[in-house]
Amino acid sequence: MSDLTSIPRPHSSVVVDGNDRAAARSMLRAVGFEDDDFNKPQIAVASAASDMTPCNVHLGDLSEHARTGIAAAGGKPVYFNTITVTDGISMGTQGMRYSLVSREVIADSIETAVAAEGFDGLVAIGGCDKNMPGAMIAIARLNRPAVFIYGGTILPGFLAGDEHHERPLDIVSVFEAVGKHAKGELDDAGLKAVEKAAIPGPGSCGGMYTANTMASAIEAMGMSLPNSSAQLAVGEEKRKDCERAGAAVVAMLKNDLKPRDIMTREAFENAITVCLALGGSTNLILHLLAIAHAAEVPLALDDFKTIGERVPLLGDLKPFGKYNMSHLVRIGGIRPMMKMLLDRGLLHGDCMTVSGQTMAESLADVKPYGAYPTEQDIIHPWDQPIKTETHLRVLRGNLAPDGAVGKITGKEGLYFKGTAKVYESEEDALQGILRGDVVKGDVVVIRNEGPVGGPGMREMLSPTAAVAGRGLIKDVALITDGRFSGGSHGFDVGHITPEAANGGPIGIVASGDTIEIDAVKNTISVLISDDVYAARMAAFKPRGPGATRGVLGKYAKLVASASEGAVTDKGL
């Protein structure tokens, strides 16, 4: 065990030292503290463990390993839980309004517990999409030694008869099967077979969707240990990762290394660069803006555009590519790609990480993908990219004066001009698509789904998956003031700001209007005359907040726009 006198206790000492703190010590004795424990730094282990979702069902076990690592390094681990919301279950329902809200609840609850109880450090463990940014917002606010642990990715599922595992399934496969069923290409038995096979056990959704995107971003930022983002949810490597993370927080305390020493502007640029090269989710932008706000690091929507102009798309990963995260794990994860980016001057190698090494030091001995025995075409060579610059496009125009975000890889084309088909909610749009109302050449407009109008900025995975299932993925565009799941693919533009509920011009679009989206010029416009545009805007009466009471009402009152990360403390 470490020499306890050498480990600082800047916060717990205030809570437990001295005769006047006897009551606090008495309470802690009841939960297992012994005399020696009061001389140890107290390290919180905040887990989003839950039976609600496969992403989180195993996190309680992982927390035990984190506690083992803390104790072995001389700290006193103290465990508590925070909430989770699983998008894969609530998607397409009114419950999805609470998904982005849960990011704030997670952040607030971790901050509250750690600050109130005087913990000296923190290990946060998350699995589902909002766990990662929620925990990172809290870590940035607290600025106490901390490490984030990703719960790991799920293994793919396979249908009976796919003996060679040539057609891996995941949650998006199920959503797209619903579209195929509606089109008549899949019968009831076929739909049920996909439903039963797609999710075989614990772990987060398997493509480069939001969970794997944010885990990769956090590792690239230096706030999780090397390889933490590219590990299977089940297995010895993930358990060891948890133990190492526990020890790392104690070492950070000894070395007076805090999150804001790591989460610099350059570290955020590293995170953006890595995730753009991987083909990450549009939610990356929303969440990194929010984390940067919490860390008081200047970061704006246009920074993603600027960085994206020099970062090629290299990862052939779902939803638009062929492979799952589990395939990437087999060939070495994201670190060989990070080394490639570092060697070409696209990463800041002098950024510090929670390991105590700089990024360049931590990557020094990483071997290239070619050194692994498995041939791979998952991460493309530098001179053969899938796309020469980013797939995440920041668009502006008379439909989105404050910006919008598109995930456009080029496989769907780079330009779309079509006829607006307007829906006032996700449910209406989904039913229209499943009925066959949406046809080739349409631009599906889904509005009143923004942070305020929803409230909660629901993800439009059900409509995009239904479009894919009906075979229209290259023939139809979707735009919304809501957002898209990391599992969405196609010609999709979300985060349109201002949103309709706040008077944004997406609210004046009428069915039959012509909409033009140009992912080369980065523009999105409704092609009506200036006079008609001005007259419609003058007559437009926004709906306003979608809720006025309870947690949704509080959220709608406080939340900033998507272009500002949908944070809830901007105006405080």
Side-chain angles (χ1 to χ4, degrees), residues 429-504:
L430 178 61
Q431 291 309 309
I433 294 164
L434 294 177
R435 279 195 308 267
D437 297 349
V438 173
V439 298
K440 181 177 180 179
D442 281 346
V443 178
V444 178
V445 180
I446 309 174
R447 62 192 179 198
N448 292 301
E449 291 286 4
V452 173
M457 205 178 180
R458 290 192 293 176
E459 292 179 340
M460 304 294 117
L461 178 56
S462 294
T464 59
V467 165
R470 293 190 69 86
L472 295 169
I473 198 69
K474 294 183 178 181
D475 301 317
V476 168
L478 292 94
I479 69 171
T480 181
D481 53 7
R483 58 199 174 101
F484 288 106
S485 164
S488 292
H489 61 115
F491 213 102
D492 305 328
V493 179
H495 305 207
I496 290 178
T497 55
E499 60 176 290
N502 282 345

Side-chain angles (χ1 to χ4, degrees), residues 124-188:
I125 311 175
C128 209
D129 291 11
K130 310 312 168 298
N131 299 174
M132 277 76 80
M136 288 302 300
I137 289 169
I139 286 169
R141 290 176 186 169
L142 289 160
N143 199 32
R144 303 180 188 188
V147 174
F148 180 79
I149 299 171
Y150 178 44
T153 190
I154 196 171
L155 288 165
F158 298 95
L159 288 169
D162 185 8
E163 293 88 355
H164 299 293
H165 291 176
E166 295 174 343
R167 297 181 298 280
L169 303 174
D170 59 18
I171 186 62
V172 176
S173 307
V174 188
F175 281 102
E176 293 185 356
V178 172
K180 292 178 181 178
H181 181 267
K183 191 180 180 183
E185 290 184 0
L186 195 65
D187 62 16
D188 291 352

Side-chain angles (χ1 to χ4, degrees), residues 18-316:
N19 291 335
D20 61 328
R21 303 306 304 162
R25 293 193 298 273
S26 183
M27 295 282 284
L28 290 169
R29 290 182 190 279
V31 297
F33 274 61
E34 303 289 347
D35 285 346
D36 287 348
D37 293 329
F38 295 112
N39 297 316
K40 301 173 183 177
Q42 293 183 31
I43 310 296
V45 178
S47 165
S50 169
D51 288 344
M52 291 169 60
T53 166
C55 312
N56 294 52
V57 70
H58 62 304
L59 299 189
D61 176 66
L62 294 185
S63 74
E64 294 282 356
H65 292 277
R67 284 180 267 183
T68 297
I70 292 166
K76 175 61 179 175
V78 182
Y79 178 68
F80 69 87
N81 264 23
T82 185
I83 68 156
T84 192
V85 168
T86 170
D87 300 355
I89 295 173
S90 61
M91 195 74 71
T93 74
Q94 289 293 303
M96 188 63 191
R97 297 191 298 170
Y98 292 86
S99 173
L100 189 56
V101 176
S102 76
R103 185 188 75 180
E104 307 307 304
V105 177
I106 292 165
D108 291 350
S109 65
I110 293 175
E111 178 193 356
T112 299
V114 172
E117 299 304 305
F119 293 120
D120 300 302
L122 168 66
V123 172
I125 311 175
C128 209
D129 291 11
K130 310 312 168 298
N131 299 174
M132 277 76 80
M136 288 302 300
I137 289 169
I139 286 169
R141 290 176 186 169
L142 289 160
N143 199 32
R144 303 180 188 188
V147 174
F148 180 79
I149 299 171
Y150 178 44
T153 190
I154 196 171
L155 288 165
F158 298 95
L159 288 169
D162 185 8
E163 293 88 355
H164 299 293
H165 291 176
E166 295 174 343
R167 297 181 298 280
L169 303 174
D170 59 18
I171 186 62
V172 176
S173 307
V174 188
F175 281 102
E176 293 185 356
V178 172
K180 292 178 181 178
H181 181 267
K183 191 180 180 183
E185 290 184 0
L186 195 65
D187 62 16
D188 291 352
L191 177 60
K192 189 169 185 178
V194 174
E195 171 192 327
K196 292 177 72 173
I199 312 295
S204 298
C205 297
M208 191 49 63
Y209 309 147
T210 302
N212 282 318
T213 297
M214 290 311 302
S216 300
I218 293 167
E219 180 178 336
M221 193 186 298
M223 284 303 300
S224 60
L225 291 176
N227 283 320
S228 183
S229 68
Q231 292 171 338
L232 299 178
V234 291
E236 185 62 20
E237 189 56 35
K238 179 49 68 180
R239 292 189 285 269
K240 288 180 178 177
D241 179 47
C242 295
E243 293 177 11
R244 290 192 294 264
V249 173
V250 178
M252 291 175 74
L253 262 173
K254 290 180 179 179
N255 297 320
D256 193 28
L257 179 61
K258 298 184 177 70
R260 293 198 189 186
D261 300 326
I262 297 167
M263 298 167 67
T264 62
R265 164 70 189 215
E266 291 74 20
F268 277 92
E269 291 182 1
N270 284 349
I272 294 168
T273 297
V274 168
C275 290
L276 294 186
L278 285 169
S281 163
T282 53
N283 284 317
L284 172 77
I285 297 177
L286 190 73
H287 295 322
L288 284 188
L289 288 172
I291 297 167
H293 171 76
E296 299 183 86
V297 169
L299 190 69
L301 187 62
D302 285 334
D303 290 323
F304 292 83
K305 174 181 180 293
T306 302
I307 294 170
E309 289 172 352
R310 59 179 184 262
V311 179
L313 174 57
L314 301 176
D316 192 9

